[in-house]
Amino acid sequence: MPVFNAYDTLMSLLPVLAGALGTLELNPERMRAAIDPGMLATDLADHLVQKGIPFRQAHTLAGRAVQLAGQLGKPLDRLSIQEFQSIYPAIDLDVYSVFDLQQSVARRNAIGGTAAEAVKIQLQNARSRMQKAGSE
């Protein structure tokens, strides 16, 4: 029965998860170094949408920018303004604001997002659920 299989799977995974979290060591410097500006292609598409470009077209243009960066062997944020404009002539210098990692995180302020306020709300909700579960 699927419910019992799900329970068995969960029970076998929880100790592994607890062990992994218990020994987890974060290295912020290595994490920052591992970030590729190409990861912000969605931010580029969002930026183009804010400029009035329909999302489907903005998504295609962001994909072209990633492709061009790959062809030229350079990170997405190192494309020149002329290279960005070869993809879409109306792109201007403010395109480089897209590649600010802190701003990328902060822009995600929806429910479940990465912005500080969104994370704070998620943590408050999780604590509340844990307290409620503990009192039952």
Side-chain angles (χ1 to χ4, degrees):
M1 179 166 236
V3 171
F4 296 118
N5 289 338
Y7 174 82
D8 291 342
T9 301
L10 181 62
M11 289 300 110
S12 65
L13 289 176
L14 286 177
V16 174
L17 181 60
L21 292 177
T23 59
L24 179 67
E25 291 183 30
L26 301 177
N27 186 329
E29 293 80 27
R30 285 187 66 189
M31 292 164 66
R32 276 189 206 90
I35 295 172
D36 178 337
M39 294 175 179
L40 298 175
T42 301
D43 293 70
L44 176 58
D46 291 344
H47 174 77
L48 295 173
V49 167
Q50 290 174 351
K51 296 287 188 171
I53 299 170
F55 180 78
R56 180 177 284 180
Q57 183 182 2
H59 183 271
T60 298
L61 293 170
R64 287 184 189 157
V66 169
Q67 187 175 34
L68 178 60
Q71 289 169 350
L72 297 174
K74 60 169 89 172
L76 183 59
D77 64 337
R78 297 290 182 233
L79 289 178
S80 70
I81 191 62
Q82 293 81 14
E83 290 162 341
F84 274 116
Q85 289 174 340
S86 74
I87 295 162
Y88 190 76
I91 293 176
D92 56 22
L93 289 172
D94 70 349
V95 70
Y96 295 104
S97 68
V98 165
F99 301 106
D100 180 319
L101 297 172
Q102 295 296 335
Q103 287 300 313
S104 177
V105 170
R107 281 189 289 266
R108 306 293 189 264
N109 202 21
I111 296 171
T114 56
E117 190 60 31
V119 171
K120 181 179 174 183
I121 291 169
Q122 293 171 68
L123 289 171
Q124 288 170 344
N125 290 340
R127 286 185 188 108
S128 175
R129 284 192 300 267
M130 288 174 23
Q131 287 174 348
K132 183 178 176 185
S135 66
E136 292 177 356

